[in-house]
Each structure stands twice: as C-alpha cells, then as structure tokens.
C-alpha cells in the first residue's frame, strides 16, 4: 500500500474557492468514511482547517485512488470536478510523507510556524481512529508527524512568537488592548480568540453563539460574557472590535449590521471563518477595518534561520521514516523465507524418523537441534543483510531477489502482515 494526499489550501486557491470546499465536522466524517470504502483505498483521514481541506489515504493503485478521492471530494463539497481539479494538489509516497510533516511543523500554514496546526493534526488522527478509517499505515504516518511537529518546536524558535491566525488578524485590525470585543462563535477558533483577547488586555469580551449553552460553556472556561446569537446586533453597538468564526454556510454579519454598529467610528472586524461570516461590502464602510483570511496569507512566523532549520528537520525525519518503511517492507519476505526453511527442516526430520525408527528421544532431539542450527546459520547472514540494505533507497529490491532466489510464494509473503489496525491505532504520543 502507498500513501496518497489530495488537497486544496490557501497555497493553491483563493478564499472564494476555499470556502466552497470548506467542511464542517459532519461533512469531514462523511468524506473520510466514503473514501475508505472505495476499492483502491484501505485507510483514510481528513484534515480540514480554516485554510485547507486534505484527504490522506493508503492506496494500492495511484491513479485509481486519486480518481476515487477527487470524485468523492467533488461530490461531498458540491464543487464540479472540472472547477475543483485546477486547484488540487496531489502528493504520493515520500512526497505525501514530506507534505504532512511540513504541515505539522507549520511550514505550510497561512501563518508560518503557527501553533494550532499540531492540535489539528492530532484531532484528525483521533477522529480517524474513532471512525476506524485509520489503520496501521496512516496511524504510523500521523504519529510520526506529531513527533516531528513537537521536535521542530522544541529545537527551533519557529513558533516563539506564539503567532496564530487569530493573533496575526488582531494585529492587522489595529490591536485589541483596551477595546470592547465581541466574539461570534464558540468553536476552537473562538476559544483561541477569546483567550487571546482576555489575556492581552481587552476591556471586555462578549461571546455569542447560535447554541447559547456552548457560549456559556466557553465563558465558563476562559471568561467573558455569553449572549444569544439574536442579541448580536445590539452587542455590536456596544463593541468596537468583532471576531467572527462560526461554521455557518452563509453571511452572519451583514453590511447593514456592521454599518449600524460602526456609525462612522473606528471599528475593527476580523473574519476568520471559512466560508466567510462577514459581508465583504463591510470593508467599504467609513471607519471599518475588515481583515479576512485572504489578507493574512503568507504572514511570517519564525525567522528565516528557524524556517531553514525546520526544513532541515523535515527532510531528516522524512528520510528516517522512509528508511523505516523500507526496512519493514522486507519483513514479510524474511519471515516467509524462515517459515519455508522451517517447513523443509520438519519434512526432513519426518523423513529421518521413517528411515531410522530406532533412534531414541535423546538422539532425535540432538539431530533436530543440529538441523535447525544449520538452517539458522545459513539464513542468518542473508536475512540480517537484507534488513540492513532495505533501509537504503532501492533496498526493497533485495527482498525481491530473495523471493526469486528461494521461489517464495507471493501469497505466502503477503499473508505475513503487520498487527491489525484495531491494535495499532491506540496510543497517542501527544
């Protein structure tokens, strides 16, 4: 099986396209389940954030897997395949590994080095484990990606500024210290916004959500005052900064709502929702500073030195992961070879028993030990060497040579598998 990534992000499409393919948790779940059920795919995971929608899959055929994933992505998002295709990127095998590692360390983020992405990768792994769409292959990949993300942050200053989409956006609207803020939404982005505002000196923070109980729960965790979504128009009039980050499919804050609230005074609006929450026409209102995800693309996080170091770490970890995969790929061949040799030894011992029935138990045991010792010694060097050589690029060809030289049955080799997915998907290192 081989790794495949099919995705779309702020690097390949503008916000008007990204908001058409944005997935809520229910749609992301449907995408992962549907992809995993296709003939060419054995495992799947979906990474859906405010600036990317990506499908990770373990496939037995590249073209079939890519065609199936793109068709399902088009169907679930409702975006025609022809419109979608020009914005999609595809990574395969080592390229797919390197891409996820780059994502996990923040190199591929809208805010380079932003800190939220590790948690989002971790959540994608958890959801895939719960859905049982992730097996041993993707589990190993995502677990390693989390370790790479942690290593990059431990060994470099890539996220030393603690920047996120929210913090960069708040800077772009003119800061927030001493301002009266309204947060619309109660998800992870809203939670980050509320914490940033409260810890950074906002005069007040009000949190509104369609589900009032979720707004209350958020204020219980981080502070602030909860209100119902219906109270947003009046709350806008009492605020001078609003952060909107809901999962709604349509406009939440209309141009009229913002105009009435601003009334010509300085008024900051940060829209970090996908699809957008705020009517773009609000940007033309006198006194209003509207900042969207599109305005934040390419904002720098860590220094150039840190970014170079993180790139080095990604390259090093990609090589190490691929070497481990190559070494593991020869294990079934080695096991099958030893199983064949053991069967031959058993057959010869049975033949000896028939030819020399007079051997006592001690003699039979000594003959059996001798035969098995010889078999082990003959096989020791080639099996150790093939494992060592397999870690190098091209190494798996040595396993092919073993199969050809010893006429090993491919079906027997394929039957030697790694632990079942249900045994491998537990245990999150993060």
């Amino acid at each position: 099986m081989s790794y495949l990534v099919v995705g779309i992000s702020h690097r390949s499409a503008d916000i008007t396209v990204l908001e058409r393919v944005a997935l809520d948790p229910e749609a992301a779940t449907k995408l992962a389940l549907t992809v995993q059920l296709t003939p060419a795919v054995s495992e799947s995971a979906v990474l859906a954030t405010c600036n990317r929608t990506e499908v990770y899959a373990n496939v037995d055929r590249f073209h079939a897997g890519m065609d199936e994933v793109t068709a399902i992505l088009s169907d679930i998002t409702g975006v025609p395949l022809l419109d979608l295709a020009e914005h999609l990127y595809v990574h395969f095998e080592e390229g797919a590994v390197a891409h996820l590692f780059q994502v996990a360390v923040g190199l591929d983020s809208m805010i380079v080095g932003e800190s939220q992405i590790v948690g989002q990768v971790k959540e994608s792994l958890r959801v895939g484990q719960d859905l049982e769409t992730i097996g041993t292959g993707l589990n190993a990949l995502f677990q390693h990606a989390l370790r790479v993300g942690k290593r990059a942050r431990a060994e470099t200053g890539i996220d030393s500024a603690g920047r996120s989409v929210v913090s960069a956006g708040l800077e772009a609207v003119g800061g927030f210290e001493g301002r009266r803020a309204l947060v619309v939404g109660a998800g992870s982005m809203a939670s980050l916004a509320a914490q940033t505002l409260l810890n950074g000196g906002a005069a007040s923070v009000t949190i509104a959500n369609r589900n009032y109980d979720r707004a209350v729960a958020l204020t219980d965790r981080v502070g602030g005052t909860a209100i119902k979504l219906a109270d947003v128009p009046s709350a806008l009039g009492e605020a001078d900064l609003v952060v909107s980050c809901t999962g709604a499919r349509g406009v939440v804050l209309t141009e009229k709502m913002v105009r009435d609230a601003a009334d010509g005074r300085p008024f900051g609006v940060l829209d970090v929702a996908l699809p957008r929450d705020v009517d773009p026409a609000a940007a033309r209102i006198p006194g209003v500073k509207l900042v969207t995800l599109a305005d934040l693309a390419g904002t720098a996080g860590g220094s150039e030195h840190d970014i170079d170091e993180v790139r080095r770490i990604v390259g090093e970890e990609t090589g190490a992961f691929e070497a481990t995969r190559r070494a593991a790929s020869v294990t079934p061949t080695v096991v099958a070879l030893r199983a064949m040799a053991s069967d031959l030894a058993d057959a010869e011992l049975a033949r000896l028993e028939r030819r020399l029935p007079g051997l006592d138990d001690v003699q039979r045991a000594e003959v059996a030990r001798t035969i098995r010792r010889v078999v082990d010694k003959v096989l020791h060097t080639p099996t150790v060497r093939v494992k060592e050589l397999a870690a190098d690029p091209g190494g798996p060809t040595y396993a092919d040579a073993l199969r050809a030289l010893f006429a090993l049955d491919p079906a027997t080799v394929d039957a030697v598998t790694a632990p079942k997915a249900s045994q491998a998907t537990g245990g999150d290192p993060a």
Side-chain angles (χ1 to χ4, degrees):
M1 303 299 287
S2 303
Y3 292 130
L4 171 71
V5 179
V6 177
I8 182 172
S9 76
H10 66 100
R11 292 185 179 275
S12 64
D14 62 33
I15 194 170
T16 60
V17 178
L18 288 178
E19 61 188 356
R20 295 176 66 193
V21 297
L23 302 175
D24 58 25
E26 183 179 350
T29 294
K30 182 180 179 182
L31 177 58
L33 289 169
T34 307
V35 166
Q36 196 261 343
L37 291 174
T38 58
V41 177
S42 62
E43 304 175 44
S44 67
V46 173
L47 180 58
T49 72
C50 66
N51 53 49
R52 75 179 62 250
T53 297
E54 295 180 336
V55 177
Y56 291 79
N58 217 353
V59 301
D60 61 4
R61 291 162 292 156
F62 170 69
H63 290 291
M66 182 182 66
D67 290 345
E68 289 168 359
V69 171
T70 53
I72 293 168
L73 186 58
S74 172
D75 181 60
I76 289 179
T77 61
V79 180
L81 191 54
L82 287 177
D83 294 345
L84 190 62
E86 64 178 299
H87 301 289
L88 292 176
Y89 46 82
V90 177
H91 301 289
F92 189 61
E93 281 292 76
E94 186 170 347
V97 174
H99 177 74
L100 180 57
F101 291 0
Q102 288 167 354
V103 169
V105 299
L107 287 180
D108 201 59
S109 293
M110 185 173 287
I111 310 298
V112 176
E114 57 97 2
S115 54
Q116 280 184 286
I117 189 62
V118 171
Q120 292 165 334
V121 172
K122 181 179 178 181
E123 178 65 8
S124 293
L125 173 62
R126 184 197 66 78
V127 171
Q129 290 173 341
D130 290 347
L131 295 174
E132 298 185 350
T133 61
I134 286 182
T136 53
L138 286 182
N139 182 69
L141 177 61
F142 272 72
Q143 298 278 16
H144 200 108
L146 291 173
R147 291 192 289 272
V148 176
K150 288 185 175 181
R151 179 188 169 190
R153 286 162 175 80
E155 297 182 13
T156 75
I158 189 68
D159 67 344
S160 58
R163 303 199 77 192
S164 66
V165 170
V166 167
S167 61
L170 288 172
E171 288 178 20
V173 295
F176 56 89
E177 188 173 358
R179 300 178 77 171
R180 296 165 297 165
L182 170 65
V183 177
V184 184
S188 59
M189 191 75 79
S191 176
L192 177 62
Q195 288 177 316
T196 303
L197 290 162
L198 287 164
N199 295 338
S204 64
V205 176
T206 302
I207 299 172
N209 193 56
R210 192 177 305 278
N211 184 324
Y212 177 66
D213 290 340
R214 290 193 64 194
V216 171
L218 179 54
T219 58
D220 287 343
R221 289 199 311 273
V222 304
T225 303
I227 64 172
K228 297 178 180 178
L229 193 65
D231 296 329
V232 163
S234 59
L236 281 170
E238 299 173 2
D240 47 30
L241 170 65
V242 59
V243 180
S244 195
C245 40
T246 75
R249 303 301 299 184
V251 170
V252 175
L253 300 180
T254 66
E255 187 269 351
K256 183 178 185 306
M257 291 168 65
V258 177
R259 181 182 295 278
D260 290 346
D263 196 24
R265 63 194 173 97
F267 195 83
V269 181
L270 173 59
D271 184 358
V272 286
L274 195 69
R276 289 171 289 188
D277 279 346
V278 183
D279 186 340
R284 297 192 293 270
I285 300 171
V288 171
K289 173 68 172 178
L290 172 63
V291 174
T292 69
L293 288 173
D295 301 315
L296 300 175
T299 306
S303 68
E304 282 300 319
H305 172 73
D306 289 325
I307 290 171
D308 288 342
E309 275 299 291
V310 171
R311 288 196 180 107
R312 181 190 62 78
I313 289 172
V314 167
E316 183 181 296
E317 292 286 354
T318 300
F321 183 81
E322 285 298 290
T324 300
R325 285 184 72 204
R326 288 191 293 267
S329 71
V330 307
T331 298
T333 299
V334 171
V335 173
L337 175 61
R338 287 192 170 276
M340 182 197 74
S342 180
D343 290 344
L344 288 174
D346 290 343
E348 287 303 309
L349 287 170
R351 188 176 71 84
L352 185 63
E353 178 72 21
R354 292 192 298 271
R355 290 172 64 92
L356 299 173
L359 292 176
D360 60 31
D361 291 344
V362 173
Q363 292 170 325
R364 278 195 298 271
E366 184 58 34
V367 170
R369 278 194 295 271
T370 299
I371 290 178
R372 296 191 187 284
R373 194 179 303 118
V374 170
V375 170
D376 286 343
K377 286 185 176 181
V378 169
L379 292 181
H380 176 74
T381 298
T383 55
V384 168
R385 287 293 292 148
V386 78
K387 288 181 179 178
E388 292 172 347
L389 293 167
D392 298 325
T397 58
Y398 291 97
D400 295 337
L402 272 185
R403 288 194 290 271
L405 288 170
F406 290 91
L408 297 176
D409 183 355
T412 302
V413 175
D414 291 342
V416 181
T417 59
K420 293 181 179 179
S422 60
Q423 298 172 343
T425 54
D428 190 338

